[in-house]
Amino acid sequence: MASARLYFIFLLFQLPFYLHLSIAQNNGTVPVGATLTAGTNSSTWLSPSGDFAFGFRQVDEENNTNDLFLLSIFYSNIPAKTVVWYTDNKDQNPAVPRGSQVKLTADHGLVLNDPQGKQVWSSEIDIGTVAVGHMNDTGNFVLASSSSSKLWDSFSNPSDTLLPGQTMETKQGLFSRKSETNFSRGRFQFRLLKDGNLVLNIANLPTGDAYDAYYISGTYDPANSSNSGYRVMFNESGYMYILRRNGGRFDLTTESVVPAADFYYRATLNFDGVFAQYFYPKNGNENWSVAWSEPENICVNIGGEMGSGACGFNSICSLDSDRRPKCACPKGYSLLDENDRYGSCKPDFELSCWGGGQGYKKELFDFHELQLTNWHLSDSERFRPYNEVQCKNSCLSDCFCAAVIFQDDCCWFKKLPLSNGMTDGRLTSKAFMKYKNKGDDPPSVPRPPDPEDKKKRKMMNATGSVLLGSSVFVNFALVCAFGLSFFFIYKKKWIRNSPGDGTIETNLPCFSYKELEEATDNFKEEVGRGSFGIVYKGVILTTRTSTTAVAVKKLDRVFQDGEKEFKNEVVVIGQTHHKNLVRLLGFCDEGQNRLLVYEFLNNGTLASFLFGNLKPSWNLRTNIAFQIARGLLYLHEDCSAQIIHCDIKPQNILLDDYYNARISDFGLAKLLTLNQSKAIRTAIRGTKGYVAPEWFRNSTITAKVDVYSFGVLLLEIISCRKSFDIEMGEEYAILTDWAFDCYRNEKLDDLVEGDMEALNDIKCVEKLVMVSIWCIQEDPSLRPTMKKVLQMLEGVVEVSLPPNPYPFSSSMG
Ligand SMILES: *[C@@H]1O[C@H](CO)[C@@H](O)[C@H](O)[C@H]1NC(C)=O
Ligand SMILES: *[C@@H]1O[C@H](CO)[C@@H](O)[C@H](O)[C@H]1NC(C)=O
Ligand SMILES: *[C@@H]1O[C@H](CO)[C@@H](O)[C@H](O)[C@H]1NC(C)=O
Ligand SMILES: *[C@@H]1O[C@H](CO)[C@@H](O)[C@H](O)[C@H]1NC(C)=O
Ligand SMILES: *[C@@H]1O[C@H](CO)[C@@H](O)[C@H](O)[C@H]1NC(C)=O
Ligand SMILES: *[C@@H]1O[C@H](CO)[C@@H](O)[C@H](O)[C@H]1NC(C)=O
Ligand SMILES: *[C@@H]1O[C@H](CO)[C@@H](O)[C@H](O)[C@H]1NC(C)=O
Ligand SMILES: *[C@@H]1O[C@H](CO)[C@@H](O)[C@H](O)[C@H]1NC(C)=O
């Protein structure tokens, strides 16, 4: 009864539509002589089911001021009207103006004319006469002769998409479009080579010359050609594979897919070079979902000496969700074409060697550190052994040097244009990018070209190249002069402030108490309070004309032991240099008054960041976790003497201008333990929730206590909640217990409830939780070292299944 009524209603609604279809070609047949005209409500040739339409589709560019249309095949039943085929053309934009017309002719098949009647494209039938066209339900548009033999079809002339039922033979391929909405040819290609390999590569646009592949299927067997591939299949059930000559298969779709009866499938070479198979529920109203994609990391996988990489020249590629690339210009650079975010970046300043030493003024340049960035090629020089300061200074003095990479004792110069710029979490090198930092202007704002400079440039244009040779010498002289004066300023300060006994082998300035009193305006502004003392904001003079903000920590415990140990420890702390540690700039040691002067960081503590009202993004949080791990690893393994922090907690992690995590207060535990190991135990125990169990026993304290605290901190970063929060209710109050329960019961969603980004990245959440559980093992010997922790976080080593962290005491807490 109910179903009958439903059917009746269905008929009622569908009736006008049904009538309309039966008048038009509802069996998909298109007679010779039929035409379509590009316009707002222009009609289309539908396939029998209505799934696919052949016709003009308005190009939905953000700002389609040109009123362009694309002759294409698209899904007509879904709101996005996704295009699967278009009149791909090597040399011109396939979009045509309103009023253009396509006609099905007997001798040329499809012919597309612009409004003036000039032919812009045709289907080029080699032999035979077209009797009929047919828009098939598979999405294939077929031209057939009167004897029903196929003369042309869109499946054999693909643009950037393959559909189920479509095959691709050797020497065929797909070309990407320029951007999501610009259908001109882009740089990327998907081809089945003659040898049987399926590849993705960049091509040089005007000539189509292919550069090195960034994905290779490996279906070429030089020893036995019958094992090589010869055809790419996309079968009707939605599986893609390469057929081998011996009948075998190489699966591209490696996991089972949703049923093709209920879903649309397509496989598209995206404009950004990522090839992906998508699915979409028929009659649904959502987005295309990805079944699989290649390559794994386009930013890293594209290499080769030719071309700019995944993004344009001077641009930096980072991997976004769905393995898609994101491109960004570094500081001091901006897009060459404002509308092309994936294109090249140009420097907003002149980086040239005009006029020998005069046109290039190194004083006007500075460096901006780029996190986890490298350009694998573009090297111009290599210096070894060099330290970081030498590396940067020599680049500053070289008018050709655009950026440097520094690692261990090695310094690479990079030249413009920079290619293959990318970020990679596994990098351990440092990248510094040169930019013009004139006066007090904020360097991130693109500056209009200086008219003075322009004039000068014009005048020097003619003589520039001749003078180039001398610039090296001039620059060398400048480096020496600069280096000497630098040394003098610091030497002077050091000598003046040195307390006289000369035991401190450091150039850390030693301040007098009075100086720091002045610097902090008599300890007026308190910015933090820790277990070791109170922190005040202050300002110190670095040179005669410039000042810098500092954080001055007044240690509140009196050290029984002599000056010497205090200084020795300060020296150790002063020698630590790592981008994820807060730097010690100086100290004061006058009897009872012992103070430490640190750099001041603007963005407060991780605690206020994590537990504030706004949840920071998942990406930022995972980055911060990695950075803390790197900082700790440095303290544990890379310092001249191992430093155990002993008090890792979010209040002791500070954030710099770019929200990089910086560990503070390291080394203080050692300072205090010199003669007070009892006291330190009490002090540390005060910090509930982060404390490794061995603090409560009388066992030795090792670096593993930091690993424990890091595990707790990592859970806080994942869940954005405090390690101990009684308001959550008894069952959830202790984060480590709750997290382990969530993990054990496979309910990790609960940990990141409401955090869409994390939920979408649940594999990573799982990995991080597993690492945390390893870190919070009650038995210190089971906890990994920070090195292992970092390797697990970065995916260098697999994370094995963690055991129950509480094997000894079932009632912790
Ligand atoms: C499709 O319909 C047209 C008339 O609308 C008819 O002439 C043609 O024979 C039909 N073709 C098929 C294959 O049914
Ligand atoms: C196109 O069709 C829509 C709805 O069918 C109608 O509102 C609109 O006026 C039409 N536009 C033109 C230019 O015919
Ligand atoms: C389209 O572009 C023109 C000029 O390029 C601009 O004035 C106009 O505001 C833009 N319109 C929209 C809707 O973006
Ligand atoms: C439509 O495609 C199917 C599957 O490839 C094929 O069997 C059928 O003959 C095609 N119809 C026409 C009219 O080409
Ligand atoms: C599309 O890209 C081509 C090639 O880069 C460019 O020449 C053309 O202006 C672009 N079209 C639009 C409408 O932006
Ligand atoms: C090539 O491989 C096929 C099986 O894949 C095997 O039957 C054939 O003997 C091999 N030919 C040679 C020359 O090894
Ligand atoms: C497509 O390939 C899959 C996997 O190889 C297979 O299970 C399925 O039966 C194939 N479908 C068709 C229509 O051939
Ligand atoms: C589809 O994607 C758009 C843009 O990426 C997003 O704003 C929208 O929420 C998505 N819709 C669904 C149903 O996922």
mmCIF file of all heavy atoms in Angstrom, residues 235-237 239 241 249, ligand 7:
data_model
loop_
_atom_site.group_PDB
_atom_site.id
_atom_site.type_symbol
_atom_site.label_atom_id
_atom_site.label_comp_id
_atom_site.label_asym_id
_atom_site.label_seq_id
_atom_site.Cartn_x
_atom_site.Cartn_y
_atom_site.Cartn_z
ATOM 1 N N ASN A 235 38.264 -1.380 -14.744
ATOM 2 C CA ASN A 235 37.139 -2.252 -15.071
ATOM 3 C C ASN A 235 35.809 -1.735 -14.512
ATOM 4 O O ASN A 235 35.789 -0.829 -13.684
ATOM 5 C CB ASN A 235 37.444 -3.717 -14.753
ATOM 6 C CG ASN A 235 37.248 -4.079 -13.299
ATOM 7 O OD1 ASN A 235 36.715 -3.296 -12.532
ATOM 8 N ND2 ASN A 235 37.672 -5.283 -12.935
ATOM 9 N N GLU A 236 34.723 -2.304 -14.945
ATOM 10 C CA GLU A 236 33.392 -1.783 -14.631
ATOM 11 C C GLU A 236 33.086 -1.818 -13.133
ATOM 12 O O GLU A 236 32.231 -1.104 -12.654
ATOM 13 C CB GLU A 236 32.303 -2.556 -15.406
ATOM 14 C CG GLU A 236 32.033 -2.028 -16.808
ATOM 15 C CD GLU A 236 32.970 -2.625 -17.851
ATOM 16 O OE1 GLU A 236 33.853 -3.435 -17.466
ATOM 17 O OE2 GLU A 236 32.829 -2.296 -19.043
ATOM 18 N N SER A 237 33.805 -2.691 -12.406
ATOM 19 C CA SER A 237 33.552 -2.745 -10.959
ATOM 20 C C SER A 237 34.356 -1.703 -10.187
ATOM 21 O O SER A 237 34.276 -1.659 -8.965
ATOM 22 C CB SER A 237 33.914 -4.128 -10.407
ATOM 23 O OG SER A 237 33.548 -5.143 -11.291
ATOM 24 N N TYR A 239 37.857 -1.227 -10.413
ATOM 25 C CA TYR A 239 39.236 -1.605 -10.091
ATOM 26 C C TYR A 239 40.171 -1.190 -11.233
ATOM 27 O O TYR A 239 39.870 -1.439 -12.401
ATOM 28 C CB TYR A 239 39.348 -3.113 -9.863
ATOM 29 C CG TYR A 239 38.693 -3.548 -8.577
ATOM 30 C CD1 TYR A 239 37.329 -3.802 -8.528
ATOM 31 C CD2 TYR A 239 39.446 -3.666 -7.415
ATOM 32 C CE1 TYR A 239 36.718 -4.169 -7.343
ATOM 33 C CE2 TYR A 239 38.843 -4.043 -6.227
ATOM 34 C CZ TYR A 239 37.482 -4.293 -6.188
ATOM 35 O OH TYR A 239 36.893 -4.647 -5.015
ATOM 36 N N TYR A 241 44.003 -1.625 -12.868
ATOM 37 C CA TYR A 241 45.202 -2.450 -12.840
ATOM 38 C C TYR A 241 45.926 -2.368 -14.179
ATOM 39 O O TYR A 241 45.368 -1.889 -15.170
ATOM 40 C CB TYR A 241 44.867 -3.906 -12.500
ATOM 41 C CG TYR A 241 43.748 -4.518 -13.317
ATOM 42 C CD1 TYR A 241 43.998 -5.110 -14.556
ATOM 43 C CD2 TYR A 241 42.443 -4.498 -12.852
ATOM 44 C CE1 TYR A 241 42.977 -5.668 -15.295
ATOM 45 C CE2 TYR A 241 41.400 -5.050 -13.594
ATOM 46 C CZ TYR A 241 41.671 -5.639 -14.817
ATOM 47 O OH TYR A 241 40.662 -6.177 -15.559
ATOM 48 N N ARG A 249 48.440 -9.456 -13.670
ATOM 49 C CA ARG A 249 47.971 -8.111 -13.361
ATOM 50 C C ARG A 249 48.872 -7.433 -12.363
ATOM 51 O O ARG A 249 49.444 -8.082 -11.493
ATOM 52 C CB ARG A 249 46.588 -8.170 -12.714
ATOM 53 C CG ARG A 249 45.482 -8.464 -13.643
ATOM 54 C CD ARG A 249 44.216 -8.523 -12.826
ATOM 55 N NE ARG A 249 43.092 -8.796 -13.693
ATOM 56 C CZ ARG A 249 41.829 -8.744 -13.296
ATOM 57 N NH1 ARG A 249 41.546 -8.431 -12.055
ATOM 58 N NH2 ARG A 249 40.866 -9.002 -14.148
HETATM 59 C C1 LIG B 7 37.367 -6.024 -11.866
HETATM 60 O O1 LIG B 7 38.543 -6.421 -11.178
HETATM 61 C C2 LIG B 7 38.293 -6.921 -9.876
HETATM 62 C C3 LIG B 7 39.614 -7.118 -9.197
HETATM 63 O O2 LIG B 7 40.549 -7.690 -10.034
HETATM 64 C C4 LIG B 7 37.486 -8.195 -9.976
HETATM 65 O O3 LIG B 7 37.206 -8.685 -8.690
HETATM 66 C C5 LIG B 7 36.171 -7.891 -10.705
HETATM 67 O O4 LIG B 7 35.454 -9.071 -10.926
HETATM 68 C C6 LIG B 7 36.445 -7.218 -12.036
HETATM 69 N N1 LIG B 7 35.192 -6.774 -12.602
HETATM 70 C C7 LIG B 7 34.882 -6.946 -13.890
HETATM 71 C C8 LIG B 7 33.555 -6.428 -14.337
HETATM 72 O O5 LIG B 7 35.643 -7.503 -14.660
#
